[in-house]
Amino acid sequence: MGGKMRAAVFEGNGVLKVKEVDKPAILKPDDLIVEIELCSICGTDVHIMSVPPGYIAEPGTILGHELVGKVVETGSKVTTLKAGDRVVTNPNDYCGVCEYCQHNLPNLCRNIIPMGIGADGGFAEYVRVSEKVAHRISDDLPAEIAAFAEPLACLVNGKNKIPVSPGDSVLIMGAGAIGLLFTQMMKSCGAYPVIVSEPAPLRRDYAKKCGADYVLNPFEEDLEKFVHEKTGIGADYAIDVVGSQIWEGIKAVRKGGTVLLFGFNGKAKPCFEQYHITNREIAVLGTWIANATFPQAVKILESGVLDLKPLITHTLPLEKTGEGIEILRKGEGIEILIDPRL
């Protein structure tokens, strides 16, 4: 492509600078260049920008990975997409040949290259991605809804591990964007009651709007007692969206219940009594990013079954990416979109 573009570049130790950099160019035959419409801020970006960081990114990397955009250029061997196609992207480019890829676990690939962490990401005007991680999405879907594809694909990977049925009780710990997506997804599955634990007032209000049957502040109420009172014996499922709530989840589920660990916090070192897992036959499951779930996520978005537009609290220009990350860190926003066209 040639020329320059604006981008939000991570420079290490909590420093993010918006500056001019070279536009990405086709390097491999299966490369695509995508012009970005929107890229949303993820909790991972907050962890990267923390001091010390809760998630490690390479200095000099353009942050951002939850994007939607239009293909503007293709490599010589690209066959499934063309210029003008609208895409969302799996930000984790996998090798396809290592032991984990061969076990159909590309999300656990030994050679994975994560966008916005080890490769340039979406807080920019353009991004380079490989054909195999780009997924076509409807031109008719509003860009702000299409931008939910990546977090939703990660959520679907976790949801596929827990067979929630109508009438099952679910505790969701954390009501950021992912927690609210889980709330809507659990309600769409017929779960009852859905209980959301969240300390931030704004996010508790959003949990109610998303259909939560009960919402509480765990700093003011006893979570275990609250859940057992509302369910009788404990929740069938507990979902930790925060990355530090494993013990709270173990105590809150019933005998034979399941705790799903979704959130990631490299600084959290929770302690728990293992016998509570053994003698109550608790299942504890980890779920990591998206695993072949982008097609499902795209279909869910295109179906309109989830009410996502109300979750968008901010749309900011590229120059305010750092401010957006701080808003998310303080719990004062839900889905914060960066629009490089502003």
Side-chain angles (χ1 to χ4, degrees), residues 228-301:
H228 281 261
E229 285 177 350
K230 301 303 181 185
T231 61
I233 58 173
D236 296 304
Y237 300 96
I239 304 170
D240 174 12
V241 187
V242 181
S244 61
Q245 303 298 297
I246 182 172
W247 179 227
E248 286 74 11
I250 290 168
K251 291 187 293 182
V253 295
R254 62 168 172 80
K255 292 179 179 180
T258 299
V259 179
L260 180 69
L261 306 179
F262 183 100
F264 182 89
N265 183 346
K267 294 187 289 186
K269 306 291 183 184
C271 295
F272 58 90
E273 297 164 3
Q274 185 170 321
Y275 79 91
H276 278 280
I277 298 173
T278 306
N279 70 6
R280 294 172 59 229
E281 291 197 346
I282 306 301
V284 179
L285 305 175
T287 183
W288 182 241
I289 57 179
N291 182 10
T293 47
F294 265 81
Q296 284 178 274
V298 168
K299 287 181 180 179
I300 291 168
L301 292 176

Side-chain angles (χ1 to χ4, degrees), residues 68-81:
V68 57
K70 293 282 183 76
V71 176
V72 295
E73 189 177 352
T74 63
S76 61
K77 292 188 177 179
V78 173
T79 59
T80 63
L81 294 164

